[in-house]
Amino acid sequence: MSAAKFKGIAVFKPPAKPREAFAGRSWANPMEEGPLGRIRWAGWNERTVAVHAGGNKESDGKFVIAPVVTSTTMPTITCDELAARFENGVVEGRTGGIYERLGSKPAFELECALTGMHGCGDSIVFGSGMAAISHTILPLVTAGDNVVVHKTVYGCTDELFREQLPALGIETRFIDMRNLKMLDQAIDARTRAVFFETPSNPVLDVIEIAKVVDVVNGRCPVIVDNTFASPRGQNPFEKGAHVVVYSMTKSIGGHSNAIGGAVLGGGRFIEHLFSIRKDLGGILPAREASAFLDGIKTLPLRYEKMQANAIEIARELEAHGEVQRVHYPSLDPGYPFDGQMKGPGYMVAFILKKGLEGGKVLIDNLKVITHAVSLGSVESLMCHPASTTHASVPKAEREGKGISDGLLRISVGTESLGDILDDLMQALRKVAEL
């Protein structure tokens, strides 16, 4: 029997029209300022913004860095005072004036720094990179809608689009985003987002953002996961992207000690995300935000050293007899892709001629490079994607995405280049003995 026949039962049905975050085109202008405005960074170079992250010079001057307050709730003396904060809930909530699930001072300072480094309208931080992606997609879609996604993305992102969203009635269309004709054909009246990583995880496909934006032509938001490139490697807004997402756990944090995510875009769109974060609870705790404020200060310095190391490592691997292929942006004849990339970055992927067994031997003999997932940290990390980050992707699909059993991925760190290369070469000698 229908619940509507029972007196006193309130029924809320799925919307029959596009959701406001999509239909109102809140995503269309990433430079549109939100209610907090573009705070204090106007005219500063991104390196300077990074160094001063967390230091609000417009405050009372008591702290160089935003302090971590361990209280989860903020009191007032009178009833009217707290009511006034709720009336101005977006500003008071995000700046840490009400309750930590709405925001904290360190998280707000981190949002200000990210906004300043990208020159966009606003940003909002989350408890993980996956929380950032899911909170970005959910306010745009309802059952019957679809999203278009590049065929190769991070394993958990793949699973979100391949399993979780279809279970809610949302169709995912995986395509090779570099095929612009295919992209145009994949978009229809129910397409609510085009999503891709560039470079992609783990094979470093580079998608030319401006070309995608041109094909999409304002029909839906173009959402770019910029985690591999980092804020130093490219700014997708410069090429027309509407929304940018990050796993801050990687190069923004840079020390393998905090998990978080971020979304950047126009103020009205970020306000939608504030609302859904409040309801779904994907908050970044103040302590984690403080760790990211520490990490982002040295991002420009770390990135330059990691990239310099990676350039040499990619060259050495490309010339090595045990290596079948190297994936690295500057080895692509199209690099730097009409100025999209400011540098080739610190991520390198390569395929060994001896496949999985060769990869096992190499990894088992590493002494300097750490065998672990994740990336963007000061220490070099290597993993075997087919058995770790992309193990949840069915084998046939995985191979169709270019992720073979012989593929290895290295996030190059800040160690001495000689030590990293010596470690790789001695491990490759073990592979040669197979």
Side-chain angles (χ1 to χ4, degrees), residues 140-398:
L140 294 169
V141 296
T142 190
D145 290 338
N146 68 76
V147 291
V148 179
V149 181
H150 181 57
K151 66 175 185 175
T152 306
V153 290
Y154 170 53
C156 290
T157 306
D158 186 289
E159 193 167 344
L160 171 70
F161 286 112
R162 178 169 40 87
E163 296 188 9
Q164 309 304 337
L165 292 183
L168 299 175
I170 300 148
E171 181 180 281
T172 298
R173 300 172 178 178
F174 283 108
I175 68 165
D176 188 333
M177 203 72 68
R178 295 166 296 187
N179 185 329
L180 299 176
K181 184 176 180 180
M182 183 183 296
L183 169 62
D184 190 43
Q185 292 172 344
I187 299 171
D188 62 23
R190 295 298 298 269
T191 302
R192 298 294 179 255
V194 168
F195 179 95
F196 57 93
E197 305 166 351
T198 183
S200 69
N201 186 353
V203 295
L204 286 93
D205 293 337
V206 176
I207 314 298
E208 293 192 64
I209 299 168
K211 291 182 179 180
V212 171
V213 170
D214 185 57
V215 170
V216 174
N217 194 27
R219 289 176 284 179
C220 66
V222 173
I223 303 170
V224 178
D225 186 329
N226 203 41
T227 298
F228 262 38
S230 92
R232 285 295 294 165
Q234 69 186 6
N235 183 348
F237 293 122
E238 294 176 354
K239 294 299 179 179
H242 301 108
V243 179
V244 174
V245 300
Y246 285 102
S247 169
M248 296 192 297
T249 311
K250 312 308 190 292
S251 63
I252 291 174
H255 293 82
S256 300
N257 64 347
I259 290 180
V263 183
L264 296 85
R268 283 194 300 137
F269 184 69
I270 297 302
E271 195 166 343
H272 282 292
L273 299 196
F274 171 76
S275 178
I276 198 168
R277 187 185 70 175
K278 168 180 66 68
D279 295 340
L280 296 184
I283 191 69
L284 180 72
R287 293 179 182 87
E288 298 283 278
S290 183
F292 287 117
L293 284 172
D294 290 342
I296 202 170
K297 289 175 177 294
T298 59
L299 171 60
L301 298 174
R302 288 185 283 108
Y303 180 88
E304 288 165 12
K305 174 59 176 172
M306 292 156 67
Q307 177 174 263
N309 283 347
I311 290 170
E312 296 304 318
I313 287 167
R315 287 173 180 163
E316 292 291 330
L317 287 171
E318 189 180 36
H320 200 283
E322 293 296 327
V323 177
Q324 177 180 318
R325 182 180 178 185
V326 178
H327 298 275
Y328 190 62
S330 62
L331 299 178
D332 189 306
Y335 179 82
F337 309 98
D338 194 29
Q340 175 176 306
M341 297 193 74
K342 301 173 185 176
Y346 55 86
M347 296 299 301
V348 181
F350 59 101
I351 301 172
L352 292 175
K353 293 178 179 178
K354 294 178 179 174
L356 177 59
E357 290 308 309
K360 287 181 178 179
V361 169
L362 188 147
I363 286 173
D364 290 350
N365 282 279
L366 294 173
K367 303 188 186 317
V368 175
I369 300 167
T370 302
H371 177 215
V373 296
S374 199
L375 55 107
S377 194
V378 289
E379 64 276 345
S380 294
L381 304 172
M382 184 182 289
C383 74
H384 175 244
S387 64
T388 56
T389 59
H390 291 73
S392 65
V393 182
K395 181 178 175 64
E397 293 181 31
R398 190 169 64 235

Side-chain angles (χ1 to χ4, degrees), residues 71-93:
S71 175
T72 59
T73 189
M74 305 303 161
T76 63
I77 301 300
T78 69
C79 183
D80 287 345
E81 286 179 276
L82 192 53
R85 290 186 186 179
F86 270 83
E87 188 175 348
N88 192 24
V90 175
V91 174
E92 291 288 348

